[in-house]
Amino acid sequence: MTRIDAKFAALKSEGKKAFVSYIMAGDPDLESSLAVMKGLPGAGVDIIELGVPFTDPMADGATIQLAGQRALDGGQTLRKTLEMAVAFRESDDTTPIVLMGYYNPIYSHGVEAFLADAKAAGIDGLIVVDLPPEEDDELCIPAQAAGINFIRLATPTTDDARLPKVLQNTSGFVYYVSVTGITGSQAAQAAHVGPEVSRIKSQTDLPVIVGFGINTPEAARTIAGVADGCVVGSAIVQQIASGKSRDDVLAFVAGLASGAHSA
């Protein structure tokens, strides 16, 4: 059982929905992002998605693209991102960490070396948005063998013919992208999301977590209410981009977490 599996089991026993937060590693700098990361569990975050900056982030909107560029300009790398996880684990051995990003940095690192380093750093899951199920032998299956969950995205365009393929080797949870398009592009609507979550859950026992288009406590509550939890990324990254203090960022996150947990 991974930390992700254990977290969902604990939440289920408490009758709570999951709140997942995304931050970009190294934004605006390594020290600041690590300080925010360390404060996320205390703000109510159940699972941390840690973005790995990349030069061509095709699935991300302007907010996260700019965060990635700031991180790259500051010298952030995949190796430094893993070092962030190591530093986080010094004081927290229970909160799951999911690395979210693109395949190129992992390929450049070497898949076998990356998985060994990620496991040693305390990484629990991977979301690699540019590796479709047809490429599962590249990373997904080796990651599962290494004890790291491989989390797949389903979208509004994932029809019934495609869904079984998407779910085939997924573990940890399913990330349902609530809107068609890039991150931060439009608001999620519970009336649209609910039936899609039900459709996915009819084909898997995995938790379904909804992301994209959630930026207020009320939105977190309503979306978590029709799923097993929700993810917020761009809205948190925007707080960091605007120069808010660590405490202010964490207060914002706490409001979102409270919304999700009240669902």
Side-chain angles (χ1 to χ4, degrees):
M1 179 179 282
T2 66
R3 290 185 186 90
I4 295 171
D5 300 327
K7 175 60 70 174
F8 279 112
L11 288 167
K12 186 175 182 179
S13 71
E14 297 168 16
K16 290 173 66 176
K17 301 301 180 75
F19 180 67
V20 184
S21 71
Y22 171 98
I23 61 169
M24 177 66 73
D27 176 38
D29 56 68
L30 180 56
E31 183 179 356
S32 299
S33 61
L34 178 57
V36 170
M37 184 182 182
K38 287 182 174 181
L40 291 174
V45 172
D46 298 303
I47 298 173
I48 297 170
E49 279 185 17
L50 189 59
V52 180
F54 180 53
T55 52
D56 187 23
M58 62 182 183
D60 295 312
T63 297
I64 292 179
Q65 284 190 26
L66 289 169
Q69 193 58 57
R70 289 191 296 271
L72 291 169
D73 290 345
Q76 189 71 13
T77 62
L78 174 56
R79 191 172 298 281
K80 288 182 178 180
T81 302
L82 293 174
E83 289 169 1
M84 276 183 68
V86 171
F88 178 85
R89 287 281 175 239
E90 292 172 358
S91 57
D92 187 321
D93 194 43
T94 58
T95 303
I97 303 172
V98 175
L99 285 187
M100 185 170 188
Y102 299 82
Y103 185 47
N104 185 275
I106 295 170
Y107 180 80
S108 297
H109 193 98
V111 168
E112 188 175 342
F114 166 75
L115 290 173
D117 292 346
K119 187 69 175 176
I123 300 301
D124 304 292
L126 302 174
I127 299 174
V128 183
V129 297
D130 55 346
L131 273 184
E134 287 74 17
E135 306 294 335
D136 274 357
D137 288 340
E138 284 282 328
L139 181 62
C140 173
I141 291 172
Q144 311 264 35
I148 297 174
N149 290 131
F150 199 90
I151 296 146
R152 188 80 68 192
L153 276 65
T155 75
T157 60
T158 306
D159 61 19
D160 288 337
R162 180 65 173 169
L163 186 58
K165 187 72 173 177
V166 169
L167 297 174
Q168 182 174 281
N169 291 314
T170 298
S171 65
F173 61 91
V174 178
Y175 187 136
Y176 179 67
V177 177
S178 63
V179 297
T180 303
I182 54 177
T183 57
S185 56
Q186 52 188 305
Q189 302 294 329
H192 299 152
V193 170
E196 289 299 296
V197 170
S198 296
R199 182 170 67 92
I200 295 166
K201 289 179 75 68
S202 73
Q203 297 196 37
T204 181
D205 293 329
L206 291 171
V208 179
I209 305 300
V210 177
F212 287 45
I214 302 166
N215 54 23
T216 66
E218 177 62 15
R221 185 187 67 79
T222 57
I223 296 299
V226 297
D228 295 302
C230 67
V231 184
V232 178
S234 294
I236 297 170
V237 171
Q238 185 57 52
Q239 293 285 309
I240 294 169
S242 67
K244 296 287 180 66
S245 69
R246 173 184 182 270
D247 288 349
D248 285 345
V249 171
L250 293 175
F252 178 76
V253 172
L256 295 164
S258 179
H261 290 150
S262 68

CSV table of all heavy atoms in Angstrom, one decimal, residues 20-27 30 33-34 36-38 40 47-53 76-78 80-86 88 96-102 121 123 125-127:
chain,number,residue,atom,x,y,z
A,20,VAL,N,-6.4,18.1,-2.7
A,20,VAL,CA,-5.0,18.0,-3.4
A,20,VAL,C,-4.6,19.4,-3.8
A,20,VAL,O,-5.4,20.1,-4.5
A,20,VAL,CB,-5.1,17.0,-4.5
A,20,VAL,CG1,-3.7,16.8,-5.1
A,20,VAL,CG2,-5.7,15.7,-4.1
A,21,SER,N,-3.4,19.7,-3.5
A,21,SER,CA,-2.9,21.1,-4.0
A,21,SER,C,-1.7,20.9,-4.8
A,21,SER,O,-0.9,20.0,-4.6
A,21,SER,CB,-2.5,21.9,-2.8
A,21,SER,OG,-1.4,21.5,-2.1
A,22,TYR,N,-1.6,21.8,-5.8
A,22,TYR,CA,-0.4,21.8,-6.7
A,22,TYR,C,0.4,23.0,-6.5
A,22,TYR,O,-0.1,24.1,-6.4
A,22,TYR,CB,-0.9,21.8,-8.2
A,22,TYR,CG,0.1,22.0,-9.2
A,22,TYR,CD1,0.7,20.9,-9.9
A,22,TYR,CD2,0.6,23.3,-9.5
A,22,TYR,CE1,1.7,21.1,-10.9
A,22,TYR,CE2,1.6,23.5,-10.5
A,22,TYR,CZ,2.1,22.4,-11.2
A,22,TYR,OH,3.1,22.6,-12.1
A,23,ILE,N,1.7,22.8,-6.5
A,23,ILE,CA,2.6,24.0,-6.5
A,23,ILE,C,3.8,23.6,-7.5
A,23,ILE,O,4.0,22.4,-7.8
A,23,ILE,CB,3.3,24.4,-5.2
A,23,ILE,CG1,4.1,23.2,-4.6
A,23,ILE,CG2,2.2,24.8,-4.2
A,23,ILE,CD1,4.9,23.6,-3.4
A,24,MET,N,4.4,24.6,-8.1
A,24,MET,CA,5.5,24.4,-9.0
A,24,MET,C,6.8,24.4,-8.2
A,24,MET,O,7.1,25.4,-7.5
A,24,MET,CB,5.6,25.5,-10.1
A,24,MET,CG,6.7,25.4,-11.0
A,24,MET,SD,6.7,23.9,-12.0
A,24,MET,CE,5.4,24.4,-13.2
A,25,ALA,N,7.6,23.3,-8.3
A,25,ALA,CA,8.8,23.3,-7.6
A,25,ALA,C,9.8,24.4,-8.1
A,25,ALA,O,9.9,24.6,-9.3
A,25,ALA,CB,9.5,21.9,-7.8
A,26,GLY,N,10.3,25.1,-7.1
A,26,GLY,CA,11.3,26.2,-7.5
A,26,GLY,C,10.7,27.5,-7.8
A,26,GLY,O,11.4,28.4,-8.2
A,27,ASP,N,9.4,27.7,-7.6
A,27,ASP,CA,8.7,29.0,-7.9
A,27,ASP,C,8.3,29.6,-6.6
A,27,ASP,O,7.6,29.1,-5.8
A,27,ASP,CB,7.5,28.7,-8.7
A,27,ASP,CG,6.7,30.0,-9.0
A,27,ASP,OD1,7.3,31.1,-9.2
A,27,ASP,OD2,5.4,29.9,-9.0
A,30,LEU,N,13.8,28.0,-4.9
A,30,LEU,CA,13.8,26.7,-4.3
A,30,LEU,C,13.4,26.9,-2.8
A,30,LEU,O,12.5,26.2,-2.3
A,30,LEU,CB,15.1,26.1,-4.4
A,30,LEU,CG,15.3,24.7,-3.7
A,30,LEU,CD1,14.3,23.7,-4.2
A,30,LEU,CD2,16.7,24.2,-4.0
A,33,SER,N,9.6,27.9,-2.3
A,33,SER,CA,8.7,26.8,-2.6
A,33,SER,C,8.7,25.7,-1.6
A,33,SER,O,7.7,25.1,-1.3
A,33,SER,CB,8.9,26.3,-4.1
A,33,SER,OG,10.1,25.8,-4.3
A,34,LEU,N,9.9,25.4,-1.1
A,34,LEU,CA,10.0,24.3,-0.1
A,34,LEU,C,9.3,24.8,1.2
A,34,LEU,O,8.6,24.0,1.8
A,34,LEU,CB,11.5,24.0,0.2
A,34,LEU,CG,11.7,23.0,1.3
A,34,LEU,CD1,11.1,21.7,0.9
A,34,LEU,CD2,13.2,22.8,1.5
A,36,VAL,N,6.7,26.8,1.4
A,36,VAL,CA,5.3,26.6,1.2
A,36,VAL,C,4.9,25.1,1.2
A,36,VAL,O,3.9,24.7,1.9
A,36,VAL,CB,4.9,27.2,-0.2
A,36,VAL,CG1,3.4,26.8,-0.5
A,36,VAL,CG2,5.0,28.7,-0.1
A,37,MET,N,5.7,24.3,0.6
A,37,MET,CA,5.4,22.9,0.6
A,37,MET,C,5.3,22.3,2.0
A,37,MET,O,4.4,21.5,2.3
A,37,MET,CB,6.5,22.1,-0.2
A,37,MET,CG,6.3,20.6,-0.4
A,37,MET,SD,7.7,19.9,-1.3
A,37,MET,CE,7.1,18.2,-1.4
A,38,LYS,N,6.3,22.7,2.8
A,38,LYS,CA,6.3,22.1,4.2
A,38,LYS,C,5.0,22.6,5.0
A,38,LYS,O,4.6,21.9,5.9
A,38,LYS,CB,7.5,22.6,4.9
A,38,LYS,CG,8.8,21.8,4.4
A,38,LYS,CD,10.0,22.3,5.2
A,38,LYS,CE,11.2,21.4,4.9
A,38,LYS,NZ,12.4,21.8,5.6
A,40,LEU,N,2.0,23.0,3.6
A,40,LEU,CA,0.7,22.6,3.0
A,40,LEU,C,-0.1,21.6,3.9
A,40,LEU,O,-1.3,21.7,4.0
A,40,LEU,CB,1.0,22.0,1.6
A,40,LEU,CG,1.4,23.0,0.6
A,40,LEU,CD1,1.8,22.3,-0.7
A,40,LEU,CD2,0.3,24.0,0.3
A,47,ILE,N,-2.9,15.6,-0.2
A,47,ILE,CA,-1.9,15.1,-1.2
A,47,ILE,C,-1.3,16.3,-1.8
A,47,ILE,O,-2.0,17.2,-2.2
A,47,ILE,CB,-2.6,14.2,-2.2
A,47,ILE,CG1,-3.2,12.9,-1.5
A,47,ILE,CG2,-1.5,13.8,-3.3
A,47,ILE,CD1,-4.0,12.0,-2.5
A,48,ILE,N,0.0,16.3,-2.0
A,48,ILE,CA,0.7,17.4,-2.7
A,48,ILE,C,1.1,17.0,-4.1
A,48,ILE,O,1.8,15.9,-4.2
A,48,ILE,CB,2.0,17.8,-1.9
A,48,ILE,CG1,1.6,18.3,-0.5
A,48,ILE,CG2,2.8,18.8,-2.6
A,48,ILE,CD1,2.9,18.5,0.4
A,49,GLU,N,0.7,17.7,-5.0
A,49,GLU,CA,1.2,17.6,-6.4
A,49,GLU,C,2.3,18.6,-6.6
A,49,GLU,O,2.1,19.8,-6.4
A,49,GLU,CB,0.1,17.9,-7.4
A,49,GLU,CG,-0.8,16.7,-7.7
A,49,GLU,CD,-1.8,17.0,-8.8
A,49,GLU,OE1,-1.5,18.0,-9.6
A,49,GLU,OE2,-2.8,16.3,-8.9
A,50,LEU,N,3.5,18.1,-6.9
A,50,LEU,CA,4.7,18.9,-7.0
A,50,LEU,C,5.1,19.0,-8.5
A,50,LEU,O,5.4,18.0,-9.1
A,50,LEU,CB,5.8,18.4,-6.2
A,50,LEU,CG,7.1,19.2,-6.1
A,50,LEU,CD1,6.8,20.5,-5.4
A,50,LEU,CD2,8.2,18.4,-5.3
A,51,GLY,N,4.9,20.2,-9.1
A,51,GLY,CA,5.2,20.3,-10.5
A,51,GLY,C,6.7,20.4,-10.8
A,51,GLY,O,7.5,21.0,-10.1
A,52,VAL,N,7.1,19.7,-11.9
A,52,VAL,CA,8.4,19.7,-12.3
A,52,VAL,C,8.5,20.6,-13.5
A,52,VAL,O,7.8,20.4,-14.6
A,52,VAL,CB,8.9,18.3,-12.8
A,52,VAL,CG1,10.3,18.3,-13.3
A,52,VAL,CG2,8.7,17.3,-11.6
A,53,PRO,N,9.3,21.7,-13.4
A,53,PRO,CA,9.3,22.7,-14.5
A,53,PRO,C,9.8,22.1,-15.8
A,53,PRO,O,10.8,21.3,-15.8
A,53,PRO,CB,10.1,23.8,-14.0
A,53,PRO,CG,11.0,23.2,-12.9
A,53,PRO,CD,10.1,22.1,-12.3
A,76,GLN,N,15.9,25.7,-11.3
A,76,GLN,CA,15.3,24.5,-10.8
A,76,GLN,C,15.4,23.3,-11.9
A,76,GLN,O,15.3,23.6,-13.1
A,76,GLN,CB,13.8,24.7,-10.6
A,76,GLN,CG,13.1,23.6,-9.9
A,76,GLN,CD,13.5,23.4,-8.4
A,76,GLN,OE1,14.1,24.3,-7.9
A,76,GLN,NE2,13.1,22.3,-7.8
A,77,THR,N,15.7,22.1,-11.4
A,77,THR,CA,15.8,21.0,-12.2
A,77,THR,C,15.0,19.8,-11.6
A,77,THR,O,14.5,19.9,-10.5
A,77,THR,CB,17.3,20.5,-12.3
A,77,THR,OG1,17.7,20.2,-11.0
A,77,THR,CG2,18.2,21.6,-12.9
A,78,LEU,N,14.9,18.7,-12.4
A,78,LEU,CA,14.3,17.5,-11.8
A,78,LEU,C,15.1,17.0,-10.6
A,78,LEU,O,14.4,16.7,-9.6
A,78,LEU,CB,14.3,16.4,-12.9
A,78,LEU,CG,13.8,15.0,-12.4
A,78,LEU,CD1,12.4,15.1,-11.8
A,78,LEU,CD2,13.8,14.1,-13.6
A,80,LYS,N,16.8,18.8,-8.4
A,80,LYS,CA,16.5,19.7,-7.3
A,80,LYS,C,15.1,19.5,-6.8
A,80,LYS,O,14.9,19.6,-5.6
A,80,LYS,CB,16.8,21.1,-7.7
A,80,LYS,CG,18.2,21.5,-7.9
A,80,LYS,CD,18.4,23.0,-8.2
A,80,LYS,CE,19.9,23.3,-8.4
A,80,LYS,NZ,20.0,24.8,-8.7
A,81,THR,N,14.2,19.1,-7.7
A,81,THR,CA,12.8,18.8,-7.3
A,81,THR,C,12.8,17.6,-6.4
A,81,THR,O,12.1,17.6,-5.4
A,81,THR,CB,11.9,18.7,-8.5
A,81,THR,OG1,12.0,19.9,-9.3
A,81,THR,CG2,10.5,18.4,-8.1
A,82,LEU,N,13.5,16.6,-6.8
A,82,LEU,CA,13.6,15.4,-5.9
A,82,LEU,C,14.3,15.7,-4.6
A,82,LEU,O,13.9,15.2,-3.5
A,82,LEU,CB,14.4,14.3,-6.6
A,82,LEU,CG,13.8,13.7,-7.9
A,82,LEU,CD1,14.7,12.7,-8.6
A,82,LEU,CD2,12.5,13.0,-7.5
A,83,GLU,N,15.3,16.6,-4.6
A,83,GLU,CA,15.9,17.1,-3.3
A,83,GLU,C,14.9,17.8,-2.4
A,83,GLU,O,15.0,17.7,-1.2
A,83,GLU,CB,17.1,17.9,-3.6
A,83,GLU,CG,18.3,17.2,-4.2
A,83,GLU,CD,19.4,18.1,-4.8
A,83,GLU,OE1,19.2,19.3,-4.7
A,83,GLU,OE2,20.4,17.5,-5.3
A,84,MET,N,13.9,18.5,-3.0
A,84,MET,CA,12.9,19.1,-2.3
A,84,MET,C,12.1,18.1,-1.5
A,84,MET,O,11.7,18.3,-0.4
A,84,MET,CB,11.9,19.9,-3.2
A,84,MET,CG,12.3,21.3,-3.5
A,84,MET,SD,11.1,22.2,-4.5
A,84,MET,CE,9.7,22.4,-3.4
A,85,ALA,N,11.8,17.0,-2.2
A,85,ALA,CA,11.0,15.9,-1.6
A,85,ALA,C,11.8,15.3,-0.4
A,85,ALA,O,11.2,15.0,0.6
A,85,ALA,CB,10.7,14.9,-2.6
A,86,VAL,N,13.1,15.1,-0.6
A,86,VAL,CA,13.9,14.6,0.5
A,86,VAL,C,13.9,15.5,1.7
A,86,VAL,O,13.7,15.1,2.8
A,86,VAL,CB,15.4,14.4,0.0
A,86,VAL,CG1,16.3,14.1,1.2
A,86,VAL,CG2,15.5,13.4,-1.1
A,88,PHE,N,11.5,17.7,2.4
A,88,PHE,CA,10.1,17.6,3.0
A,88,PHE,C,10.0,16.3,3.9
A,88,PHE,O,9.4,16.4,5.0
A,88,PHE,CB,9.1,17.6,1.9
A,88,PHE,CG,7.7,17.4,2.3
A,88,PHE,CD1,6.9,18.5,2.7
A,88,PHE,CD2,7.1,16.2,2.3
A,88,PHE,CE1,5.6,18.4,3.1
A,88,PHE,CE2,5.7,16.1,2.7
A,88,PHE,CZ,5.0,17.2,3.1
A,96,PRO,N,1.3,12.2,1.1
A,96,PRO,CA,1.7,11.7,-0.3
A,96,PRO,C,2.2,12.8,-1.1
A,96,PRO,O,1.7,14.0,-1.1
A,96,PRO,CB,0.5,11.1,-0.8
A,96,PRO,CG,-0.4,10.8,0.3
A,96,PRO,CD,-0.1,11.9,1.3
A,97,ILE,N,3.2,12.6,-1.9
A,97,ILE,CA,3.8,13.5,-2.9
A,97,ILE,C,3.6,12.9,-4.3
A,97,ILE,O,4.1,11.8,-4.5
A,97,ILE,CB,5.2,13.9,-2.7
A,97,ILE,CG1,5.5,14.4,-1.3
A,97,ILE,CG2,5.7,14.8,-3.7
A,97,ILE,CD1,6.9,14.6,-0.9
A,98,VAL,N,3.0,13.6,-5.2
A,98,VAL,CA,2.9,13.2,-6.6
A,98,VAL,C,3.6,14.2,-7.5
A,98,VAL,O,3.4,15.4,-7.4
A,98,VAL,CB,1.4,13.2,-7.0
A,98,VAL,CG1,1.3,12.9,-8.5
A,98,VAL,CG2,0.6,12.2,-6.2
A,99,LEU,N,4.6,13.7,-8.2
A,99,LEU,CA,5.3,14.5,-9.2
A,99,LEU,C,4.4,14.7,-10.4
A,99,LEU,O,3.9,13.7,-11.0
A,99,LEU,CB,6.6,13.9,-9.6
A,99,LEU,CG,7.8,14.0,-8.6
A,99,LEU,CD1,9.1,13.5,-9.3
A,99,LEU,CD2,8.0,15.4,-8.1
A,100,MET,N,4.2,15.9,-10.9
A,100,MET,CA,3.4,16.1,-12.1
A,100,MET,C,4.3,16.9,-13.1
A,100,MET,O,4.8,17.9,-12.8
A,100,MET,CB,2.2,16.9,-11.7
A,100,MET,CG,1.2,17.1,-12.9
A,100,MET,SD,-0.4,17.8,-12.4
A,100,MET,CE,-1.3,17.6,-13.9
A,101,GLY,N,4.3,16.4,-14.3
A,101,GLY,CA,5.1,17.0,-15.3
A,101,GLY,C,5.1,16.3,-16.7
A,101,GLY,O,4.1,15.7,-17.0
A,102,TYR,N,6.2,16.3,-17.3
A,102,TYR,CA,6.4,15.8,-18.7
A,102,TYR,C,7.5,14.8,-18.8
A,102,TYR,O,8.4,14.8,-17.9
A,102,TYR,CB,6.6,17.0,-19.6
A,102,TYR,CG,5.4,18.0,-19.6
A,102,TYR,CD1,5.3,19.0,-18.7
A,102,TYR,CD2,4.4,17.9,-20.6
A,102,TYR,CE1,4.2,19.8,-18.6
A,102,TYR,CE2,3.3,18.7,-20.6
A,102,TYR,CZ,3.2,19.7,-19.6
A,102,TYR,OH,2.1,20.5,-19.6
A,121,ALA,N,13.6,9.3,-2.7
A,121,ALA,CA,13.2,10.7,-2.2
A,121,ALA,C,11.8,10.7,-1.5
A,121,ALA,O,11.4,11.8,-1.0
A,121,ALA,CB,13.2,11.6,-3.4
A,123,ILE,N,8.8,9.9,-3.2
A,123,ILE,CA,7.8,10.2,-4.2
A,123,ILE,C,6.8,9.0,-4.2
A,123,ILE,O,7.2,7.8,-4.3
A,123,ILE,CB,8.3,10.4,-5.6
A,123,ILE,CG1,9.3,11.6,-5.5
A,123,ILE,CG2,7.2,10.6,-6.6
A,123,ILE,CD1,8.7,12.9,-5.1
A,125,GLY,N,3.7,9.0,-6.3
A,125,GLY,CA,3.0,8.9,-7.5
A,125,GLY,C,3.5,9.8,-8.6
A,125,GLY,O,4.2,10.8,-8.3
A,126,LEU,N,3.1,9.5,-9.9
A,126,LEU,CA,3.6,10.3,-11.0
A,126,LEU,C,2.3,10.6,-11.9
A,126,LEU,O,1.5,9.8,-12.1
A,126,LEU,CB,4.5,9.5,-11.9
A,126,LEU,CG,5.8,9.0,-11.2
A,126,LEU,CD1,6.6,8.1,-12.2
A,126,LEU,CD2,6.7,10.2,-10.8
A,127,ILE,N,2.3,11.8,-12.3
A,127,ILE,CA,1.3,12.2,-13.4
A,127,ILE,C,2.2,12.8,-14.5
A,127,ILE,O,2.9,13.8,-14.4
A,127,ILE,CB,0.3,13.3,-12.9
A,127,ILE,CG1,-0.5,12.8,-11.8
A,127,ILE,CG2,-0.6,13.7,-14.1
A,127,ILE,CD1,-1.4,13.8,-11.2
